[in-house]
Amino acid sequence: MEFMQFHPTCLYHPGARTFLISEAVRGEGAILRNHLEEDFVRKTHPMGSLAPRDIVARAIDVELKRSGEKHVWLDISGIEDFAKKFPHIHETCVKFGIDPARGKLPVVPATHYTCGGVWVDENAKSTLEGLYAVGEVACTGLHGANRLASNSLLEAIVWGHRAVQHAVPILQQRAAARRVAFASEAGRNESGTDPLRLGRFMVRQTAVSWLKSVLLPAPGVPGAGVPLRYER
């Protein structure tokens, strides 16, 4: 694995360890503050709480280690109609006994995404024959420490699609070669085909057909076969 990405603002509560406060909240005007009400992230980056998530997460970690506090505050007092703009977040906070009306939410960074270390090409193919890697385990060069949701969708959907497109013809070729070898062997066998070998062959053929018919999009599907550029 290459490294773990941390989401800067996970709600700090024993019962809500995996509930993330969307970065859209900071985009709407929320500010990260320490227990002295200082806008501490601005000391690290001129964009303050709107800095890239890896920078913000590190700044919070440094502040927590420096102060010894268990969390920092996300100041939402400047956001009008918070409950209407972020109903799910508001509802969840209330559920855990945190009143957004007070104007601040306790938050900490949380492990969010594995930025993988298995190098792959534009078809999700690794340097190991027959091994494809997609999503968190893959290192495509599509993003760095500031991976966003759009990056992960691109990797999971587009690279997953390309992996299937690349793998299916190879599987078909191998199946065809096995079919020829099987037919040749069966022709030499006076007792006919071996039911066990025939069953295994049919399973392989079924798998290939399923991959081709279900995972490969039909002609005309938007985005199918669109060439992509990528950088490392």
Side-chain angles (χ1 to χ4, degrees), residues 90-106:
H90 182 275
E91 179 183 343
T92 302
C93 288
V94 172
K95 173 184 175 182
F96 289 108
I98 300 172
D99 185 6
R102 294 179 55 197
K104 56 183 182 181
L105 307 176

Side-chain angles (χ1 to χ4, degrees), residues 60-148:
I60 296 175
D61 180 61
V62 170
E63 178 63 25
L64 292 178
K65 290 176 178 176
R66 183 197 66 78
S67 66
E69 300 290 349
K70 295 183 178 181
H71 64 81
V72 296
W73 294 104
L74 184 62
D75 182 357
I76 60 173
S77 60
I79 302 179
E80 295 183 4
D81 299 323
F82 181 84
K84 293 182 179 180
K85 293 178 179 178
F86 304 100
H88 181 55
I89 295 176
H90 182 275
E91 179 183 343
T92 302
C93 288
V94 172
K95 173 184 175 182
F96 289 108
I98 300 172
D99 185 6
R102 294 179 55 197
K104 56 183 182 181
L105 307 176
V107 296
V108 292
T111 304
H112 186 219
Y113 193 90
T114 301
C115 295
V118 179
W119 285 94
V120 296
D121 61 14
E122 67 276 9
N123 293 310
K125 187 176 183 296
S126 72
T127 55
L128 182 62
E129 183 65 29
L131 177 64
Y132 293 79
V134 178
E136 294 189 52
V137 72
C139 186
T140 60
L142 290 173
H143 64 77
N146 194 35
R147 182 210 67 88
L148 300 174

Side-chain angles (χ1 to χ4, degrees), residues 87-220:
H88 181 55
I89 295 176
H90 182 275
E91 179 183 343
T92 302
C93 288
V94 172
K95 173 184 175 182
F96 289 108
I98 300 172
D99 185 6
R102 294 179 55 197
K104 56 183 182 181
L105 307 176
V107 296
V108 292
T111 304
H112 186 219
Y113 193 90
T114 301
C115 295
V118 179
W119 285 94
V120 296
D121 61 14
E122 67 276 9
N123 293 310
K125 187 176 183 296
S126 72
T127 55
L128 182 62
E129 183 65 29
L131 177 64
Y132 293 79
V134 178
E136 294 189 52
V137 72
C139 186
T140 60
L142 290 173
H143 64 77
N146 194 35
R147 182 210 67 88
L148 300 174
S150 56
N151 302 126
S152 57
L153 283 174
L154 175 62
E155 286 201 309
I157 296 178
V158 178
W159 254 241
H161 169 71
R162 286 187 167 202
V164 173
Q165 284 187 311
H166 191 270
V168 165
I170 296 176
L171 291 173
Q172 289 176 323
Q173 291 174 7
R174 292 178 180 177
R178 292 192 184 99
R179 183 167 60 248
V180 171
F182 181 77
S184 177
E185 181 178 333
R188 294 194 301 269
N189 190 341
E190 295 181 357
S191 61
T193 60
D194 178 356
L196 181 59
R197 287 176 56 83
L198 179 60
R200 289 173 179 171
F201 173 75
M202 293 178 66
V203 168
R204 287 195 295 267
Q205 286 296 94
T206 301
V208 171
S209 298
W210 181 82
L211 280 171
K212 184 176 181 181
S213 64
V214 177
L215 298 183
L216 290 180

Side-chain angles (χ1 to χ4, degrees), residues 41-60:
V41 183
R42 196 165 292 280
K43 299 177 183 178
T44 302
H45 195 282
M47 293 180 66
S49 296
L50 292 178
R53 65 167 61 176
D54 58 312
I55 294 176
V56 175
R58 288 195 194 100
I60 296 175

